[in-house]
Every structure is written in C-alpha cells, then in structure tokens.
Amino acid sequence: MKSSIQALIFDVYGTLFDVYSVKEKCRDLYGDKGEEISIVWRQKQLQYSFLRQLMGQYEPFSKITRDALDYTLTKLELPYDEEKVETLLEAYRNLEAHPESAEILEQMRDKKIAVFSNGSRDMLEPLIKNSVLSELIDEIISVDDIKQYKPTPASYSYALKVLGVERHEVLFMSSNEWDIAGAKSFGFQTAWINRDGMPLDKLGMEPDSIYRDLTGILEWQ
Amino acid sequence: MKSSIQALIFDVYGTLFDVYSVKEKCRDLYGDKGEEISIVWRQKQLQYSFLRQLMGQYEPFSKITRDALDYTLTKLELPYDEEKVETLLEAYRNLEAHPESAEILEQMRDKKIAVFSNGSRDMLEPLIKNSVLSELIDEIISVDDIKQYKPTPASYSYALKVLGVERHEVLFMSSNEWDIAGAKSFGFQTAWINRDGMPLDKLGMEPDSIYRDLTGILEWQ
C-alpha cells in the first residue's frame, strides 16, 4: 500500500507547526496562569468546533478561537481587553514550523503536498505564507470552503476532491488522534504524529503508522 | 411563552441525578487519583460521543463510557482489571436523584414529563426504575433508539416526535450547557441548571432561564 501514495495531506496546528509559542504568549501576558489558559483555550476551541458542527451552527475557526479564549479568560477570572485578546490570537498566525517539517516536505516533493485544516483562511494563509514551508506546499485546503469541520466524512471528502486522487492514494498526517480516527474512518492511509507519547484513543480506529515526529513518514516514500 | 409549556424534558446525568457517587467510587478504588480519574473520564466520555457522531461511527453510550474509562486509566498509568472497571461502570446505574428532583417533578405533574439522554437503555432503565423518580416520569427517551447523539437537531427532533407536541411547547432542562445550546438551537424553551455556577459558553445560544437547581422551573408552572 505504501508505494501507491500519490498525495500527502498534513494537518497544520501541532502537526507541521509548533503551537508552543501560543503557550509562551499566554505566559508573557498572564505569568503562572499561562499554562492553564493555553490548556483550557485549546480544549474549548476543539469543543466549540465539534459542538457547532453537531448543532448545525457553523462559524469559522477564527471566530471559534476568539470565543474559546473569551470563555477561558472569563472562567479563570482574569482581566482582559481587546489588545490582550488580539495579542493572543496573533500568536496563531506566527507559529514556528516544527524543526523537521521543511526537510521532510522537501524529500517528499514527488508527491502532491497539501495542508488541510479546521483553520479558516484568515488564520492559515498568513501563517503558511510567512513560513519556511510556503514554497513546499501545493495546496492550502480549509474546511471553511465547505463549512464542514473535521472529523466529518464530508470534510475529508472535500480535501480528496480538491486533490483529484483516490482515497487510498492519500497519506494523512495529524498530531490530533481524533483527526486520524476521522481520516481513517473515511478511508485514508494515516500516520499519527504522536509527539507527546499519548496513549491511543479508544475510537475503534487504529492509525496505519505512529511516529514521534514527521521523520517517520519517509518510509512512505 | 411560559404558559404554553406542555412537556418537560429533563437530561439525566447531572440534571436529575447527582453524578457525585461516580467520583466517590473513583476515590474508593484509587484514593488521591480519584478526582482526576472522574474528570478525565467525563471529558473523554463526552468527547467520544461527539467524535463518533461526527465521524458517523455511532456506538452506544455504555460502550463509549467503558472506552473512556479504559483510556483514562491507561493514560493515568493506573492498574485495572475487569472487576474494577465493572465496579466503576456500575456506579452510573446507582446514582442518587438530586434532593429537589422528586418534589419538583411531583409539582409539575400536570405536564408530560420525560427524560432524554445520550445514555443507552441498559444504563438509563436500571437507574430510573430503581430511583425515587420512577413513578414521576412518563417517558424514558434514549438517543440510542435512533443512534443520533445530542446535540444534533435529529436527536431533539426524535424526543419531540415521541412526545407528540410542538417544539415551542417544550421546556428542556440540562446541567450541560452544550445540551442547552443544542436544544435552544433546535427551538425548545430551555432552562440551564447551572449547579456549579459556571460562566455561559460562547456558542451563540442563550438559555431562556438559568437556575442553580431545579426549584427555579416552578415559575414555568
């Protein structure tokens, strides 16, 4: 199966890009509370995307990310104003690529290379265009084009349509295991980039491969 | 609008019944780790229900609850066997009703009274039939009948069909704000039973009423 791969699809946040600098910005502004802010913020950001999809009340990820931050700072009873919120949101548009990302993409250039994210284009495009990966990515695909968040089958189907390949010809990478479960359920080949050494979620779907960073995908060359 | 209410629909876990005894059982078996187990278990239980719905990979809540517990104990690196797991799962079938539940249901008996839960019947029926609320509930409605988890519109639509009323004639109660957002989005009147004094989630839906316990709903009499 490995030799049949025509396209590589990468998730963005945590997978190609390191979200560490979001945490750092939280610590810059809120000191000791920074860590807790970044954890609750991420949990709520994910939860709001899932819930809005389930309820049929889609809003773009930029709006959801702001709403999740707003909730987080309210819940933790921390003072905030528009300037603080903008500073924190801006961090999402200025992430560093993980150190191995560029070299791995370079080595896999004989395949189509796409990113596919729940992020809306106002978040994704500045991030990717200002990064070292800009020239290495053939397609930026956002769920916002069809307003269907991952992990719905419709979202992965859209990515497939943009790339014009068959589902078994895709290798899909994400550091989010729920995203891997959704992609596997849809019929992609999958590699879970398990950077934090987490246990496998119990969602009835196993990744085809599990790696600690993107280097492992070279065996799909 | 309050006078037009024909049916009361109650969520179960946390709303009519106190999930405290699940925590207590976690502490009985795992001491200091009990609190963390109960928090991670609940988060994963919810997340798995949302993700399976989004992926189109429905499994009953009893299975999801077991899978979430399995993940939790693995992640926290705690030893477990089938007996421990069964003891913890059994706690969900032996919850105490919140102290005000019976009296409030009694006072509202001129309306149809239903429970509507993501729980499957193997969890719900033993719980309710062995409780003080058994004689006060006209309908036990489970999403498992149609395999559509809350907060999808299809789930609330099913509850409506079972009760044979119009959506604006329903007052829906839950202690889970995501459930209130889904019910409100569908068109029910809603009362959020905010027992823990949490801030309002930013999901674009506001409850019609917010109460600290079920006593407040008497004003919908």
Side-chain angles (χ1 to χ4, degrees):
Chain A
M1 293 295 280
K2 288 187 179 176
S3 59
S4 69
I5 297 301
Q6 303 294 316
L8 304 178
I9 305 181
F10 294 87
D11 173 55
V12 172
Y13 303 117
T15 306
L16 283 179
F17 289 86
D18 191 345
V19 292
Y20 178 79
S21 61
V22 175
K23 275 190 198 172
E24 206 170 34
K25 198 59 80 179
C26 291
R27 274 193 293 259
D28 285 353
L29 292 186
Y30 291 101
D32 288 352
K33 284 280 177 186
E35 179 82 11
E36 192 178 0
I37 293 170
S38 67
I39 291 168
V40 177
W41 186 10
R42 174 64 175 162
Q43 280 175 348
K44 278 285 156 182
Q45 182 194 45
L46 284 181
Q47 198 195 38
Y48 285 3
S49 67
F50 299 156
L51 288 172
R52 282 187 170 278
Q53 183 67 44
L54 290 167
M55 295 193 296
Q57 294 283 353
Y58 180 92
E59 289 285 347
F61 207 59
S62 49
K63 161 89 167 112
I64 279 177
T65 301
R66 179 183 285 269
D67 289 345
L69 176 58
D70 192 350
Y71 176 88
T72 301
L73 295 172
T74 302
K75 176 160 188 275
L76 300 179
E77 300 180 344
L78 296 166
Y80 64 102
D81 53 24
E82 189 56 23
E83 194 189 329
K84 279 202 166 72
V85 167
E86 277 303 325
T87 302
L88 291 169
L89 291 173
E90 184 61 23
Y92 266 99
R93 292 188 283 267
N94 288 294
L95 305 172
E96 294 287 324
H98 279 293
E100 80 281 13
S101 298
E103 192 186 325
I104 300 302
L105 263 54
E106 185 71 57
Q107 290 195 47
M108 304 288 271
R109 288 209 84 177
D110 60 318
K111 305 184 194 302
K112 284 191 191 184
I113 294 181
V115 296
F116 176 45
S117 172
N118 274 345
S120 38
R121 293 193 175 274
D122 54 342
M123 299 174 75
L124 288 180
E125 290 182 353
L127 171 66
I128 289 165
K129 288 180 178 164
N130 296 326
S131 82
V132 296
L133 305 182
S134 176
E135 301 295 310
L136 299 165
I137 291 169
D138 301 313
E139 292 279 352
I140 299 174
I141 309 171
S142 167
V143 302
D144 195 48
D145 299 346
I146 54 157
K147 308 199 184 314
Q148 282 281 331
Y149 278 115
K150 296 189 281 182
T152 60
S155 69
Y156 302 105
S157 179
Y158 173 66
L160 195 64
K161 189 177 154 214
V162 170
L163 294 173
V165 292
E166 299 293 320
R167 59 184 86 187
H168 67 271
E169 294 173 333
V170 169
L171 177 62
F172 181 86
M173 271 70 51
S174 180
S175 59
N176 294 301
E177 212 210 327
W178 55 265
D179 195 5
I180 291 293
K184 182 74 195 167
S185 170
F186 178 70
F188 288 160
Q189 303 285 314
T190 53
W192 179 29
I193 312 304
N194 184 16
R195 298 184 185 274
D196 299 324
M198 298 289 279
L200 207 61
D201 258 310
K202 309 278 174 184
L203 286 165
M205 294 289 148
E206 298 217 354
D208 296 286
S209 299
I210 304 177
Y211 306 118
R212 287 306 288 260
D213 64 33
L214 291 168
T215 312
I217 65 167
L218 289 176
E219 66 179 6
W220 292 78
Q221 182 60 273
Chain B
M1 294 295 279
K2 289 187 179 176
S3 59
S4 68
I5 297 300
Q6 303 294 317
L8 304 179
I9 304 182
F10 294 87
D11 172 56
V12 172
Y13 303 118
T15 306
L16 283 178
F17 289 86
D18 191 345
V19 292
Y20 178 80
S21 61
V22 175
K23 276 190 198 170
E24 206 170 33
K25 196 61 78 179
C26 292
R27 273 193 294 259
D28 285 353
L29 292 187
Y30 291 101
D32 287 352
K33 285 280 177 187
E35 180 80 11
E36 193 178 358
I37 294 170
S38 67
I39 291 168
V40 177
W41 185 12
R42 175 62 175 163
Q43 279 174 349
K44 279 285 156 182
Q45 182 193 45
L46 283 181
Q47 198 195 38
Y48 285 2
S49 67
F50 299 156
L51 288 172
R52 283 187 169 278
Q53 182 68 43
L54 290 167
M55 295 192 298
Q57 295 281 355
Y58 181 92
E59 289 285 347
F61 207 60
S62 49
K63 161 91 166 109
I64 280 177
T65 301
R66 178 183 286 268
D67 288 345
L69 177 58
D70 192 351
Y71 176 89
T72 301
L73 295 172
T74 302
K75 176 160 188 275
L76 300 179
E77 300 180 344
L78 295 167
Y80 64 101
D81 54 25
E82 190 56 24
E83 192 188 331
K84 279 202 166 71
V85 167
E86 276 303 324
T87 302
L88 291 170
L89 291 172
E90 184 61 23
Y92 266 99
R93 292 189 282 267
N94 287 294
L95 305 172
E96 294 288 324
H98 279 293
E100 81 282 12
S101 297
E103 192 187 326
I104 299 302
L105 263 54
E106 185 72 58
Q107 289 194 49
M108 302 290 270
R109 289 210 81 178
D110 60 320
K111 305 184 194 303
K112 285 191 191 184
I113 293 180
V115 295
F116 176 45
S117 172
N118 274 345
S120 37
R121 292 193 176 275
D122 54 342
M123 299 174 75
L124 288 180
E125 289 181 354
L127 171 66
I128 289 165
K129 289 181 177 163
N130 296 325
S131 82
V132 295
L133 305 182
S134 175
E135 300 296 310
L136 298 165
I137 292 169
D138 301 314
E139 291 279 355
I140 298 174
I141 309 171
S142 166
V143 301
D144 195 49
D145 299 345
I146 54 157
K147 308 201 184 312
Q148 282 281 331
Y149 278 115
K150 295 191 280 183
T152 61
S155 69
Y156 302 105
S157 179
Y158 172 66
L160 196 64
K161 189 178 155 213
V162 170
L163 294 173
V165 292
E166 299 293 320
R167 60 184 86 186
H168 66 272
E169 294 172 333
V170 169
L171 178 62
F172 181 85
M173 269 72 49
S174 181
S175 59
N176 294 300
E177 213 211 325
W178 55 265
D179 195 7
I180 290 293
K184 183 72 196 166
S185 171
F186 178 71
F188 287 161
Q189 304 285 312
T190 54
W192 180 28
I193 310 305
N194 184 16
R195 297 184 187 273
D196 300 323
M198 298 291 278
L200 207 61
D201 259 310
K202 308 279 174 183
L203 287 165
M205 295 289 148
E206 298 216 354
D208 296 286
S209 298
I210 303 176
Y211 306 118
R212 288 305 289 259
D213 64 33
L214 291 169
T215 312
I217 67 167
L218 289 176
E219 65 180 7
W220 292 79
Q221 181 62 274

